[in-house]
């Protein structure tokens, strides 16, 4: 419990009540007991060396700057009181003096200056008593032990850190006793409180500036900040790169309305005019001929009165994430297709084999009409079932050295029956056949799928040309038709599972071709133009015999 009696603070503790006066008297008595002579200048043996002083001043640099600012304001207010303000650290060492030059000169003549340490060895001082009792303290006139100091009035107030508990140092005011007034201690306490608030504000501002800098410097998010009317205040390089790739100068956009950037303008309008935040809006834009996907967040910032002061938008490129999602979707499709494929194989292949066997037996006895056509269609149905089998239950690949021309010739002979029925002419240029290491059945599957696609692209007849040659260590097989061709969009998705433009297609043929070629270290190049036809070029590594 504290109360004032005749200008001095009264402190109540478990031993009773002890006043500032009693504390001062006790300190002076200790000086007498030590044999100090009050007629001489107080000795100040405890001083910091220049290097240590410089280090501590650097630590308290901002506190010194703020204190000097307060002193300048105080002196410029025209109070007329000659004062000096001293800042010390939590050990009582003087780190800075500021104020009236005449008073500072007097203080220095008394041996008080930067690096001096106030403690019990140099007599009672407001600084030492303030730190010792952790509260403001003042010494006026005869409160000082040494006679030369009795013409001074000294006041000290502690300042604390962020948590308000630990004392970081003191602010002290010294003036001539003629200008002594109890209000000076109150003024000093106010200055200490202002110092604490200013330092807290500075730290907050520093943290905000750091966060702002990190936010604006990021290479992965575009950031655009506007005022309450939509005028652009800040935008980082990433936002410029994402939205305006042809313009690398941010100054062309700062201070301009955000509404002049069409892809995101309407989301800022919602925030500014309707107070409606935008979280996770997906945008699709074409940049440099490529389609890019973005995720946009636009949120308002309000002051304490609830007034809109800023609008912050962040833009992230999610193109790769979209591509990954597409891969995952395709994977899910394949898993499902695999489950279906096993079921289809069991349900269809067995009766298909039975029908084929019975048909061969009947043809041997009765020479059936259209036998070749029926067998061809059964073989085609068997191939379709085989595609599902490969998808659902991949079989072990058996590699052997094979003559590529021989495999191609087998497939062409099998396929010619169907092409004749559909008024399609097949021509071949077999320049050079080479030995390849492959699974014969899988390579036949590749050729059959490509030829089937070519035939389906010629619903009213046409021409398919097959070329076999060698090029740069690869056996090259090129299939060219003059059919309907494909658009760029269809061509870009041709190996995706279940992507088909045919009413009766299953979208698995080219995906299986692609998979088989991957296991054979082969290549595939497709060129197509809508209305003009398609060319599929297959490359398979040649094996030396």
């Amino acid at each position: 419990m504290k109360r004032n009696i005749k200008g001095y603070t009264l402190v109540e503790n478990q031993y009773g009540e002890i006043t500032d006066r009693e504390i001062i008297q006790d300190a002076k008595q200790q000086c007498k007991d030590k044999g100090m002579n009050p007629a001489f200048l107080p000795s100040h043996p405890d001083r910091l060396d220049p290097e240590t002083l410089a280090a501590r001043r650097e630590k308290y640099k901002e506190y010194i700057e703020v204190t000097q600012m307060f002193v300048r304001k105080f002196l410029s207010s025209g109070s007329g009181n000659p004062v000096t303000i001293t800042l010390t650290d939590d050990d009582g060492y003087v780190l800075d003096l500021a104020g009236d030059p005449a008073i500072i000169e007097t203080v220095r003549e008394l041996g008080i200056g930067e690096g001096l340490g106030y403690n019990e060895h140099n007599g009672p001082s407001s600084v030492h008593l303030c730190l010792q009792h952790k509260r403001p303290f003042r010494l006026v006139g005869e409160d000082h032990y040494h006679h030369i100091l009795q013409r001074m009035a000294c006041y000290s107030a502690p300042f604390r850190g962020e948590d308000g508990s630990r004392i970081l140092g003191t602010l002290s005011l010294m003036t001539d006793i003629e200008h002594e007034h109890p209000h000076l201690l109150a003024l000093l306490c106010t200055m200490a409180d202002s110092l604490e608030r200013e330092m807290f504000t500075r730290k907050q501002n520093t943290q905000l500036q750091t966060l702002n800098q990190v936010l604006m410097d990021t290479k992965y998010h575009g950031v655009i900040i506007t005022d309450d009317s939509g005028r652009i205040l800040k935008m980082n390089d990433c936002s410029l790169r994402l939205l305006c790739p042809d313009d690398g100068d941010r100054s062309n956009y700062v201070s301009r309305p955000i509404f002049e950037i069409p892809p995101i303008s309407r989301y800022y309008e919602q925030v500014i005019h309707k107070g409606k935040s935008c979280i996770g809006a997906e945008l699709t834009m074409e940049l440099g001929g490529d389609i890019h996907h973005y995720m946009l967040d636009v949120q308002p910032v309000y002051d304490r009165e609830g007034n809109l002061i800023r609008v912050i938008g962040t833009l992230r490129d999610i193109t790769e994430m979209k591509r990954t999602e597409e891969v995952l979707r395709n994977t899910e499709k394949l898993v499902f297709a695999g489950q279906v494929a096993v079921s289809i194989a069991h349900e269809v292949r067995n009766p298909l084999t039975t029908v084929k066997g019975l048909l061969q037996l009947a043809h041997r006895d009765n020479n059936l009409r259209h036998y070749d056509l029926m067998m061809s269609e059964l073989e085609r149905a068997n191939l379709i079932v085989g595609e599902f089998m490969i998808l659902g239950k991949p079989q072990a690949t058996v590699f052997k050295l094979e003559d590529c021309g021989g495999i191609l010739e087998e497939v062409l002979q099998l396929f010619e029956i169907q092409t004749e029925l559909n008024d399609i002419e097949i021509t071949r240029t077999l320049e050079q056949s080479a030995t390849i290491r492959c699974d014969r059945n899988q390579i036949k599957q590749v050729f059959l799928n490509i030829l089937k696609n070519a035939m389906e692209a010629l619903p009213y007849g046409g021409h398919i040309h097959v070329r076999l040659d060698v090029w740069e260590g690869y056996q090259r097989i090129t299939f060219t038709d003059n059919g309907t061709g494909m658009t760029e969009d269809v061509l870009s998705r041709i190996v995706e599972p279940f992507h088909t433009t045919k009413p009766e297609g299953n979208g698995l043929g080219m995906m299986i071709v692609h998979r088989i070629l991957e296991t054979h270290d082969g290549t595939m190049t497709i060129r197509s133009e809508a209305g003009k036809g398609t060319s599929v070029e297959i490359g398979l590594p040649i094996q030396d015999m």
Side-chain angles (χ1 to χ4, degrees):
M1 178 179 178
K2 299 180 181 179
R3 54 192 177 91
N4 287 333
I5 299 178
K6 295 180 182 180
Y8 291 93
T9 303
L10 189 68
V11 180
E12 182 178 331
N13 57 35
Q14 59 181 337
Y15 303 110
E17 294 181 345
I18 178 170
T19 64
D20 286 2
R21 172 62 60 190
E22 291 171 329
I23 291 173
I24 294 170
Q25 291 297 336
D26 180 61
K28 293 172 72 174
Q29 184 60 47
Q30 291 182 33
C31 293
K32 290 180 181 179
D33 295 342
K34 294 177 181 178
M36 291 184 185
N37 190 338
F40 296 146
L41 283 171
S43 61
H44 299 288
D46 193 7
R47 289 183 178 274
L48 298 175
D49 61 77
E51 185 177 346
T52 305
L53 174 61
R56 295 206 184 185
R57 280 179 59 85
E58 181 62 27
K59 180 180 177 182
Y60 281 76
K61 180 180 179 180
E62 287 194 85
Y63 289 92
I64 293 172
E65 290 176 357
V66 175
T67 302
Q68 290 177 345
M69 178 185 68
F70 289 159
V71 173
R72 286 194 298 270
K73 288 183 178 180
F74 177 75
L75 294 178
S76 64
S77 66
S79 64
N81 291 347
V83 300
T84 182
I85 304 293
T86 303
L87 182 139
T88 76
D89 63 11
D90 54 345
D91 291 325
Y93 287 99
V94 177
L95 302 181
D96 190 66
L97 283 85
D100 182 81
I103 295 294
I104 290 179
E105 183 179 355
T106 300
V107 168
R108 292 192 185 280
E109 289 176 355
L110 297 175
I112 300 173
E114 292 85 347
L116 167 70
Y118 282 106
N119 52 51
E120 69 274 9
H121 301 300
N122 44 28
S125 66
S126 61
V127 172
H128 174 64
L129 294 176
C130 172
L131 291 172
Q132 184 179 24
H133 295 281
K134 296 181 175 53
R135 59 182 175 83
F137 222 98
R138 69 184 181 122
L139 295 180
V140 179
E142 294 183 358
D143 292 340
H144 294 93
Y145 178 73
H146 296 89
H147 296 164
I148 196 169
L149 297 178
Q150 292 177 1
R151 65 185 189 188
M152 308 293 294
C154 302
Y155 310 82
S156 294
F159 59 87
R160 291 174 165 80
E162 288 182 47
D163 57 3
S165 59
R166 179 172 174 265
I167 293 178
L168 300 182
T170 70
L171 286 180
S172 298
L173 184 150
M174 300 176 68
T175 186
D176 192 275
I177 194 171
E178 294 178 1
H179 303 289
E180 186 277 333
H181 196 286
H183 289 170
L184 290 177
L185 185 59
L187 174 66
L188 194 65
C189 290
T190 301
M191 190 180 294
D193 290 341
S194 299
L195 176 62
E196 291 175 2
R197 287 195 297 272
E198 176 67 18
M199 293 306 299
F200 179 72
T201 301
R202 285 193 175 197
K203 184 170 183 179
Q204 279 191 320
N205 289 341
T206 300
Q207 291 174 339
L208 290 174
Q209 289 174 358
T210 301
L211 290 173
N212 182 62
Q213 193 66 34
V214 170
L215 182 66
M216 298 302 292
D217 287 348
T218 178
K219 297 179 181 179
Y220 307 103
H221 293 76
V223 181
I224 301 180
I225 302 175
T226 76
D227 62 13
D228 60 330
S229 65
R231 184 171 59 90
I232 297 174
L233 301 178
K234 290 183 179 181
M235 64 186 301
N236 64 355
D237 291 334
C238 184
S239 65
L240 199 64
R241 187 173 66 253
L242 295 177
L243 295 172
C244 316
D246 298 328
D247 191 346
D249 189 354
R250 279 182 293 176
S251 62
N252 293 336
Y253 295 90
V254 174
S255 298
R256 285 171 55 182
I258 189 67
F259 313 116
E260 295 181 4
I261 305 180
I264 62 174
S265 59
R266 66 188 183 98
Y267 299 99
Y268 278 81
E269 287 178 357
Q270 289 179 0
V271 173
I272 294 171
H273 300 309
K274 300 180 182 179
K276 183 180 178 181
S277 297
C278 160
I279 304 295
E282 290 192 21
L283 307 179
T284 300
M285 291 180 282
E286 183 176 347
L287 295 177
D290 296 326
I291 298 299
H292 287 257
H293 303 277
Y294 301 100
M295 185 78 75
L296 176 67
D297 296 333
V298 183
Q299 300 187 73
V301 179
Y302 300 99
D303 61 16
R304 292 182 178 179
E305 286 72 37
N307 300 314
L308 179 67
I309 57 174
R310 295 287 186 271
V311 180
I312 301 177
T314 58
L315 192 68
R316 329 188 266 290
D317 191 329
I318 59 170
T319 304
E320 287 302 321
M321 184 180 74
K322 283 287 186 181
R323 290 172 181 166
T324 302
E325 288 178 353
E326 185 69 20
V327 171
L328 291 175
R329 280 195 294 270
N330 289 337
T331 302
E332 291 174 357
K333 290 178 182 179
L334 287 173
V335 171
F336 175 73
Q339 296 171 347
V340 173
V342 174
S343 175
I344 290 176
H346 283 294
E347 296 296 328
V348 176
R349 176 157 281 182
N350 288 337
L352 197 64
T353 302
T354 302
V355 171
K356 186 177 179 181
L358 292 174
L359 188 61
Q360 289 172 329
L361 181 63
H363 175 65
R364 186 182 63 184
D365 297 335
N366 300 310
N367 195 21
L368 296 174
R369 292 180 61 190
H370 308 301
Y371 171 78
D372 290 340
L373 176 60
M374 287 187 288
M375 289 298 292
S376 175
E377 289 301 304
L378 284 173
E379 186 64 31
R380 191 160 72 91
N382 193 50
L383 287 174
I384 293 173
V385 173
E387 288 179 349
F388 280 96
M389 284 295 292
I390 293 174
L391 182 67
K393 189 178 180 181
Q395 300 175 356
T397 304
V398 180
F399 287 98
K400 294 182 180 180
L401 295 179
E402 303 280 357
D403 176 57
C404 186
I407 299 175
L408 180 61
E409 190 62 40
E410 287 182 21
V411 173
L412 290 175
Q413 289 178 2
L414 179 65
F415 212 77
E416 281 178 340
I417 299 174
Q418 296 186 42
T419 58
E420 289 175 3
L421 294 173
N422 290 276
D423 196 22
I424 297 173
E425 179 187 8
I426 291 186
T427 60
R428 49 177 72 98
T429 303
L430 307 179
E431 293 186 1
Q432 184 178 356
S433 178
T435 301
I436 59 174
R437 185 173 179 272
C438 68
D439 183 307
R440 185 182 188 86
N441 290 329
Q442 290 191 5
I443 295 302
K444 287 177 68 174
Q445 184 76 41
V446 168
F447 295 161
L448 283 169
N449 284 3
I450 295 173
L451 286 167
K452 184 175 68 172
N453 284 348
M455 187 181 72
E456 290 173 348
L458 298 166
Y460 308 108
H463 179 257
I464 301 174
H465 181 71
V466 182
R467 182 186 184 90
L468 181 74
D469 61 2
V470 171
W471 183 76
E472 294 188 356
Y474 281 81
Q475 176 77 82
R476 184 167 62 177
I477 311 98
T478 307
F479 302 86
T480 306
D481 68 69
N482 61 347
T484 56
M486 292 177 283
T487 64
E488 289 186 6
D489 180 61
V490 173
L491 185 59
S492 66
R493 303 180 62 185
I494 194 168
V495 298
E496 291 184 13
F498 307 110
H499 178 73
T500 180
T501 59
K502 304 164 190 173
E504 299 178 358
N506 55 40
L508 297 174
M510 293 307 292
M511 187 275 297
I512 291 173
V513 168
H514 178 68
R515 179 178 292 182
I516 292 173
L517 290 176
E518 279 188 335
T519 62
H520 285 74
D521 295 326
T523 63
M524 178 171 64
T525 304
I526 304 176
R527 302 177 182 88
S528 185
E529 187 174 350
K532 293 188 177 181
T534 301
S535 173
V536 180
E537 181 183 292
I538 301 298
L540 296 167
I542 295 174
Q543 298 294 316
D544 294 329
M545 296 297 292

